[in-house]
Amino acid sequence: MLLKIPQVLNKAQVAACRDVLLAADWADGSSTAGYQSAQAKHNLQLPEQSQDALQLGELVLLALSGNKLFMSAALPLKIFPPLFNCYQGGQSFGVHVDNAIRQVPGTPVKVRTDLSMTLFISEPQDYDGGELVIEDTFGAHKVKLAAGDMVLYPSTSLHKVTPVTRGRRLASFFWLQSMVASDEKRSLLFDMDMAIQALRQKVADSNEIVQLTGVYHNLLRQWAQT
């Protein structure tokens, strides 16, 4: 499932993030890449344990905790702390797949990367290039969203970031382990949840809606790992 989640951050939050990132001290982005990814990764990254990264990461996680679309689609169990990157001057990230397991720095916590996320902080008109290209069975999908919007997609997907030829592309990227490991089962639950919510907007609760809600939770109970 590839899903756009609009307005994870509002305009004021985006502006606050951008101000911090524009004044930040950046490091070589390859420092957090695996062996294969490091060969293709050419960008800048905010040091993971820097005060700026930790502060902005908390802001992003707080915003996501109240986002119903994200919660329904991702069913998060563990979220890797958000990272922040910058592409400029022709920088890019070639085709790669994300590492299956990420260890949270300074802790014994390991996160299985079921879903990857990119939260855009620069407006699309502020830079040329920089599209996130995600491949699936239906082909390649180019993603370049408004500041504050986020894309959620399976971490098993091959993907890349095209060269930024003008301006600066600022974004947050991170991963999560879902309660439901299977993308297919997670997609079915999401579709059912969206359908139930849409029905509730059209008609008052009925026995049928209550029954469907019970089916949803029973499937989640059967498939969830906690």
Side-chain angles (χ1 to χ4, degrees):
M1 176 173 55
L2 190 159
L3 181 67
K4 172 187 172 182
I5 302 180
Q7 299 178 343
V8 170
L9 299 182
N10 60 36
K11 291 184 178 180
Q13 291 170 321
V14 168
C17 287
R18 192 181 295 129
D19 287 345
V20 171
L21 293 177
L22 289 175
D25 292 324
W26 296 90
D28 185 346
S30 65
S31 61
T32 58
Y35 175 79
Q36 180 269 328
S37 295
Q39 314 308 307
K41 188 175 185 181
H42 306 285
N43 66 3
L44 301 174
Q45 188 168 307
L46 211 57
E48 291 182 73
Q49 296 302 300
S50 69
Q51 190 59 41
D52 287 339
L54 296 175
Q55 173 190 342
L56 295 182
E58 288 180 4
L59 185 152
V60 171
L61 291 177
L62 182 61
L64 283 175
S65 69
N67 190 294
K68 293 181 180 179
L69 183 60
F70 166 75
M71 287 296 178
S72 177
L75 298 171
L77 177 62
K78 293 187 284 188
I79 303 180
F80 191 89
L83 303 174
F84 298 85
N85 60 18
C86 171
Y87 291 83
Q88 60 186 6
Q91 290 177 325
S92 65
F93 199 164
V95 176
H96 65 285
V97 65
D98 292 332
N99 291 351
I101 305 293
R102 308 281 309 198
Q103 182 163 346
V104 178
T107 78
V109 177
K110 292 182 174 65
V111 177
R112 185 188 65 230
T113 58
D114 296 326
L115 289 166
S116 299
M117 292 154 284
T118 295
L119 171 62
F120 290 80
I121 297 173
S122 294
E123 294 290 359
Q125 65 269 23
D126 291 342
Y127 60 98
D128 292 336
E131 292 91 355
L132 173 63
V133 182
I134 303 165
E135 299 180 15
D136 63 16
T137 54
F138 298 102
H141 306 273
K142 291 185 177 181
V143 182
K144 188 174 181 178
L145 303 180
D149 292 355
M150 187 177 84
V151 63
L152 181 75
Y153 61 97
S155 298
T156 52
S157 306
L158 289 172
H159 56 284
K160 67 180 180 179
V161 177
T162 63
V164 172
T165 57
R166 178 188 66 85
R168 180 181 291 178
R169 177 194 189 269
L170 301 172
S172 177
F173 66 103
F174 49 114
W175 307 269
L176 67 82
Q177 179 173 333
S178 176
M179 289 186 286
V180 178
S182 164
D183 185 59
E184 181 180 12
K185 291 176 180 177
R186 201 167 50 244
S187 296
L188 287 171
L189 288 169
F190 175 67
D191 288 344
M192 182 178 288
D193 190 22
M194 291 297 99
I196 291 169
Q197 291 185 42
L199 282 173
R200 284 205 173 103
Q201 295 297 319
K202 293 182 178 180
V203 296
D205 263 354
S206 64
N207 289 335
E208 291 78 11
I209 292 178
V210 172
Q211 191 172 20
L212 281 173
T213 303
V215 172
Y216 171 88
H217 284 287
N218 286 333
L219 286 173
L220 179 58
R221 186 176 292 111
Q222 180 176 337
W223 293 339
Q225 303 166 356
T226 60

